Amino acid sequence: MARAAAQGFSWRQFKVMLRVVIKGEQHLDSTGMGIGGNESAEKRKGLWGKLGSGARKVAMGFLFLIVAALFFMMGYMLGEMGTTPYLAFSLCVVCLVGLTVLTGLYQAVNILYFVRDLSYYLTLPLSATTIMWAKLVHFLGMSLLGDLIILPVGLGCLLANGAAPGAWVAMVLAFALCAVAVNLALVIFCVPIMRFSRLAHDKDLFSRVFGGLVIVLALAVGVGSQFAFRGDGLVSLASGSGELLSGGVPAVVVGVLCPPSLLARPVIEGDALGALAGLVGMLASVAVYAAILSAIARRWYFEGVQALQGAGGKRGRRVEGTELAQATRTRGALAANLSRDWKMMVRVPVFFNQFVLSSLLMPLYFIAIFAVSGFVGVSQASDAGLDPTMILEMARSLTGLFTFDSPALVWCAVGVLVFGLFLSFSAYSFTMGVSRDGEDFFFMRGLPMNWGAYLISKFVSPFLLSTAPMLVVIVVALVVLGVPAASGAYLVAIYLGATASLGLLSLGLGAFFPRLTWDNEAQLVKGGGATLMVFAGLLVGAVAMALPALALLGCSLWNVLEAPVALGLALAIFVVECVALTWWVLGPCARHLSRLER
């Protein structure tokens, strides 16, 4: 090992290692947000396997193009409103740095350290610098593809400003250099952490801490955006990004994380000679960071890898007395399955972050948004000389008209359905219920299982996590706004009917088409198939809410139904849907699982 660590960079070893890394390593990604988790183990052979793989790639490319087109139109609108290309590029850089800091740390750690093949590399006479650079080039390539989704904002602004072709090339090159630099800076920060931090050596603990940090930062970004989008919206956000890169402590922080950003102005706004000089300076700063990273890797990379070997072990303890009785008590089939599923989600970091923390993110986000919006509204009302209590009384006088013969209540019910459709993005928590068990499912398949209780347990946990917190928010809002009790109870019933039917339909589809052949948990919740499943939740939500929505729109939009009839028909449809879907889940879906073989 000392000989391997002392070797310098070897181009021949690098080419071989890069081919190995690209071919596919088994990464132990414990958050599901990294790049790891190779899906090759579950690829099907033959024509159908190739068609399925090709369809996933086409669908992912289509989604990428849709998001890129939306960002391009956003940049074009910025340009039409007078934003300069430099300010649009500054917005891209700030978003790039923020997203990299938010999610890039664990991606880098996963690619460089949490790899099953590392124990094999340790036995070979390979250079630490060469191994790390092979992994890093793969990481940079994958990260750059994801980072490019932000670039269309700047390109759209260039089109709106009628920029010359040279300006387009300069912006693309500048953004690519910024993306490479910020990822290099991230790894420079990552290598010493993995060498000296005890927290980082415990993969499970590190994953949970990182997942919690992501949730907190995501909430901060979401709440902060509510202030940023006040007034001129994106224009003010782009102007603020330009000011952030102009000077002061924020510019120093961004400059350390992304040195090319300090030279962005002459590249974007200067003449041809200035742009060329700026690009050369950007390239030089990237080369400096690459040299620093090579020196750090030569010293600490393999030492950090060795520190991970055998780390994270915990001492056992005796369970006795009341705790032993509690653990071995007799329970029913539903309680046993519910306890098992919940403990799996809590103990496995990737499931905890994806199915528990992510489910709680949406309610917490809306709570924060409501709090911020209320605070801003009160401040603006006070500045305008209006008494906030008077505004609340006016709102209550309007909501007091929400009776069952009022079209206003019908429109509120339509809004609840639209909100439920928005929550369809989290329906994959139900869809993945059976798939979470993986190969363990076939162990349970050989036991005298109550498959109905098994499926109910897969419904209860995600339903409580995603619905109960949001229900509290809705009830508080109805009480504060003074909605009549009967009308408020009706809106709550519509919300519960929408979420329950969505969850039951998603759970049933996941039971009929489970994904049980995965090697590590990250394969289940990330990659092309998992991303498509998230967007497929919209289709499932549309199917579950189509008929009640048509009943409500028959009154509010087409005036073919009276308000009481439309409201009663929508609720009755949800009741019928939930009853039918419950029979489907507990009957055909349960029987299908009882006959499922490898």
Side-chain angles (χ1 to χ4, degrees):
M1 178 57 61
R3 180 168 60 88
Q7 291 175 352
F9 181 82
S10 170
W11 179 253
R12 184 177 180 180
Q13 290 180 0
F14 171 79
K15 291 189 293 183
V16 174
M17 279 300 308
L18 184 59
R19 284 199 300 269
V20 170
V21 172
I22 294 176
K23 192 74 174 179
E25 293 179 320
Q26 292 297 318
H27 298 280
L28 305 178
D29 185 348
S30 293
T31 63
M33 288 175 278
I35 298 174
N38 183 24
E39 297 182 9
S40 61
E42 62 173 341
K43 289 182 179 179
R44 296 174 58 187
K45 298 180 181 179
L47 178 61
W48 290 110
K50 293 180 180 179
L51 289 176
S53 177
R56 283 198 303 269
K57 293 177 181 178
V58 170
M60 287 301 298
F62 182 67
L63 289 175
F64 185 90
L65 290 177
I66 290 178
V67 177
L70 292 175
F71 283 165
F72 187 86
M73 292 304 299
M74 184 187 301
Y76 186 84
M77 292 172 57
L78 283 173
E80 288 291 314
M81 290 185 289
T83 301
T84 64
Y86 172 71
L87 292 179
F89 183 80
S90 300
L91 177 60
C92 292
V93 171
V94 171
C95 292
L96 169 68
V97 173
L99 291 175
T100 302
V101 172
L102 185 65
T103 63
L105 176 61
Y106 196 84
Q107 290 180 0
V109 170
N110 179 60
I111 288 293
L112 298 175
Y113 291 92
F114 294 160
V115 182
R116 291 174 178 168
D117 299 330
L118 270 180
S119 58
Y120 175 69
Y121 299 154
L122 292 174
T123 66
L124 301 177
L126 298 176
S127 164
T129 307
T130 303
I131 293 176
M132 203 203 70
W133 269 106
K135 293 177 171 296
L136 185 63
V137 168
H138 179 232
F139 167 67
L140 291 176
M142 298 294 291
S143 298
L144 189 59
L145 288 176
D147 295 338
L148 286 177
I149 196 67
I150 308 173
L151 180 59
V153 175
L155 298 181
C157 188
L158 287 179
L159 179 63
N161 283 270
W168 290 64
V169 175
M171 181 174 287
V172 171
L173 292 176
F175 185 83
L177 291 171
C178 286
V180 173
V182 71
N183 283 286
L184 288 175
L186 190 71
V187 179
I188 290 174
F189 178 71
C190 161
V191 172
I193 288 181
M194 297 303 296
R195 170 61 184 88
F196 297 105
S197 172
R198 290 182 177 271
L199 172 63
H201 295 165
D202 188 336
K203 179 173 65 69
D204 290 348
L205 180 59
F206 179 77
S207 301
R208 287 188 173 91
V209 171
F210 176 78
L213 180 62
V214 169
I215 296 298
V216 173
L217 291 178
L219 280 173
V221 171
V223 174
S225 66
Q226 302 306 305
F227 294 99
F229 283 99
R230 301 285 172 179
D232 295 332
L234 283 174
V235 176
S236 61
L237 192 61
S239 300
S241 300
E243 294 175 0
L244 188 145
L245 298 180
S246 298
V249 176
V252 173
V253 174
V254 176
V256 171
L257 293 174
C258 183
S261 65
L262 301 177
L263 302 172
R265 187 179 293 275
V267 174
I268 305 300
E269 294 184 341
D271 54 12
L273 184 60
L276 180 60
L279 288 174
V280 171
M282 286 183 170
L283 184 60
S285 66
V286 171
V288 170
Y289 268 37
I292 294 174
L293 180 56
S294 291
I296 292 177
R298 186 178 297 112
R299 178 65 182 87
W300 287 329
Y301 176 63
F302 264 13
E303 292 185 7
V305 171
Q306 287 178 305
L308 287 175
Q309 306 303 312
K314 297 179 179 179
R315 294 180 57 188
R317 64 184 182 87
R318 295 183 60 184
V319 179
E320 54 187 6
T322 305
E323 187 178 3
L324 178 61
Q326 182 75 8
T328 58
R329 73 186 188 279
T330 302
R331 292 176 292 182
L334 175 59
N337 280 288
L338 184 61
S339 175
R340 176 187 173 277
D341 192 57
W342 174 251
K343 288 179 179 178
M344 176 184 292
M345 287 196 295
V346 172
R347 289 177 179 175
V348 180
V350 60
F351 290 163
F352 178 75
N353 290 330
Q354 293 295 323
F355 298 125
V356 178
L357 286 181
S358 296
S359 296
L360 293 176
L361 173 61
M362 189 63 67
L364 291 176
Y365 178 78
F366 276 99
I367 291 172
I369 294 304
F370 290 155
V372 171
S373 299
F375 176 78
V376 173
V378 170
S379 299
Q380 291 178 345
S382 300
D383 294 340
L386 298 176
D387 187 2
T389 58
M390 183 182 299
I391 297 177
L392 180 60
E393 290 299 325
M394 293 173 59
R396 287 182 171 179
S397 64
L398 294 176
T399 56
L401 302 176
F402 288 179
T403 58
F404 285 96
D405 58 352
S406 170
L409 182 60
V410 179
W411 278 112
C412 285
V414 172
V416 171
L417 291 188
V418 173
F419 179 70
L421 187 61
F422 176 73
L423 294 180
S424 299
F425 282 113
S426 62
Y428 78 103
S429 297
F430 297 94
T431 310
M432 295 291 191
V434 176
S435 301
R436 281 197 300 266
D437 289 329
E439 294 290 339
D440 291 343
F441 172 84
F442 298 105
F443 170 76
M444 294 184 292
R445 172 71 176 77
L447 301 176
M449 285 286 293
N450 183 335
W451 294 104
Y454 170 84
L455 286 174
I456 292 176
S457 70
K458 298 292 185 180
F459 174 82
V460 170
S461 294
F463 184 77
L464 292 178
L465 286 171
S466 60
T467 302
M470 221 33 249
L471 183 61
V472 173
V473 177
I474 292 175
V475 170
V476 170
L478 292 174
V479 172
V480 171
L481 293 176
V483 178
S487 300
Y490 176 83
L491 294 176
V492 168
I494 287 291
Y495 170 72
L496 292 176
T499 54
S501 58
L502 170 65
L504 288 169
L505 182 55
S506 301
L507 176 63
L509 292 174
F512 260 99
F513 307 100
R515 186 181 174 189
L516 302 172
T517 53
W518 43 266
D519 295 323
N520 64 73
E521 295 83 3
Q523 293 177 357
L524 185 64
V525 298
K526 63 181 293 296
T531 302
L532 291 177
M533 191 170 293
V534 172
F535 283 93
L538 283 176
L539 299 179
V540 176
V543 170
M545 302 174 199
L547 292 178
L550 289 175
L552 294 173
L553 292 177
C555 170
S556 60
L557 197 60
W558 301 312
N559 296 319
V560 296
L561 294 176
E562 296 295 329
V565 176
L567 293 170
L569 183 58
L571 185 58
I573 291 174
F574 270 133
V575 172
V576 172
E577 281 187 358
C578 290
V579 172
L581 288 171
T582 300
W583 170 84
W584 178 58
V585 169
L586 298 182
C589 293
R591 287 193 295 271
H592 172 73
L593 290 179
S594 68
R595 296 189 297 264
L596 191 62
E597 301 290 346
R598 290 181 186 270

